[in-house]
């Protein structure tokens, strides 16, 4: 009976051990697959952004194209902003770039808008309008991002975004106003200084008499 017990106990332990290893391996492979899918999805989004900008007729340098194609999620907005900055006062081209980028990566609409406005503050209203036309559902967030980057242009930003997303006009105006107010408050906040009273070095006992 002792031999029979061992006979059946050992295979069960072997089965349990390998079952646990299989579960761990499957979980590990699933994690790797998910990470690869996310990385691949971001790479596809960056490539789509590049293609969208090029399809809009905007001429990019080889360096700009390579930067956008290789940009990760955190760098994409800055890569687009660099293109915007290179376009100077060409409002039409700037709008094409922003609209194409946002259409290709709508989840990055607010980030792209903020970076583009920071690169070309005078074009804030045009940039916000182009972004909102490409992603109307993000209109309020786009207006807030643009107004935070260029608070002095908040009124024109709200008007331009409301024009392309009239159903969200109230939310757009509120978001732009609040963002501009908060941005201005942070910029103009007084710097606190601490005054430290230094002990006096003067002789409180008056003059000292000379030994002479």
């Amino acid at each position: 009976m002792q031999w029979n017990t061992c006979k059946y106990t050992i295979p069960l332990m072997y089965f349990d051990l390998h079952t646990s290893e299989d579960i761990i391996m499957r979980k590990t492979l699933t994690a790797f697959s998910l990470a690869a899918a996310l990385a691949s999805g971001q790479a596809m989004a960056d490539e789509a952004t590049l293609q969208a900008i090029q399809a809009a007729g905007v001429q990019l340098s080889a360096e700009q194209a390579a930067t956008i194609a290789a940009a990760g999620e955190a760098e994409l907005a800055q890569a687009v902003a660099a293109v915007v900055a290179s376009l100077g006062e060409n409002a039409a081209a700037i709008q094409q770039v922003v609209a194409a980028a946002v259409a290709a990566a709508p989840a990055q609409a607010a980030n792209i808008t903020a970076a583009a406005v920071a690169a070309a503050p005078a074009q804030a209203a045009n940039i916000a309008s182009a972004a909102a036309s490409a992603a109307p559902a993000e209109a309020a967030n786009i207006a807030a991002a643009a107004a935070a980057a260029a608070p002095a242009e908040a009124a024109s930003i709200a008007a331009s975004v409301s024009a392309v997303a009239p159903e969200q006009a109230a939310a757009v105006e509120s978001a732009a106003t609040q963002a501009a107010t908060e941005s201005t408050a942070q910029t103009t906040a007084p710097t606190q200084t601490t005054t430290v009273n230094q002990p006096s070095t003067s002789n409180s006992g008056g003059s000292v008499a000379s030994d002479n």
Side-chain angles (χ1 to χ4, degrees):
M1 293 301 295
Q2 182 64 31
W3 182 86
N4 289 337
T5 301
C6 295
K7 178 181 179 180
Y8 291 102
T9 301
I10 293 174
L12 286 174
M13 291 174 63
Y14 179 85
F15 174 79
D16 290 342
L17 176 62
H18 278 259
T19 300
S20 299
E21 290 178 347
D22 290 342
I23 292 174
I24 293 172
M25 183 173 292
R26 282 198 297 270
K27 287 182 177 180
T28 302
L29 290 175
T30 299
F32 281 135
S33 298
L34 178 59
L38 290 173
S40 176
Q42 182 58 43
M44 291 176 64
D46 297 337
E47 186 65 28
T49 302
L50 173 60
Q51 292 176 356
I53 292 174
Q54 291 175 328
V58 178
Q59 297 296 322
L60 300 176
S61 68
E63 182 180 357
Q64 288 173 330
T67 300
I68 293 174
E73 183 176 352
E75 297 87 17
L76 181 59
Q78 292 302 323
V80 173
V83 176
V84 169
S86 72
L87 295 172
E89 299 299 320
N90 191 338
I94 289 174
Q95 286 182 299
Q96 288 178 324
V97 168
V98 172
V102 171
Q108 294 291 317
N111 291 336
I112 291 172
T113 299
V117 170
Q123 299 292 330
N126 291 329
I127 290 171
S129 175
S133 66
E138 296 294 322
N141 291 332
I142 288 169
E153 303 295 327
S156 60
I157 289 169
S160 65
V161 173
S162 295
V164 297
E167 70 283 356
Q168 299 186 55
V172 164
E173 183 174 355
S174 175
T177 301
Q178 181 177 349
T181 300
E182 292 176 354
S183 179
T184 301
Q186 291 176 358
T187 303
T188 60
T191 303
Q192 293 184 347
T193 58
T194 302
T195 302
V196 178
N197 293 324
Q198 298 293 337
S200 175
T201 58
S202 60
N203 191 331
S204 60
S207 61
V208 178
S210 173
D211 292 337
N212 297 327

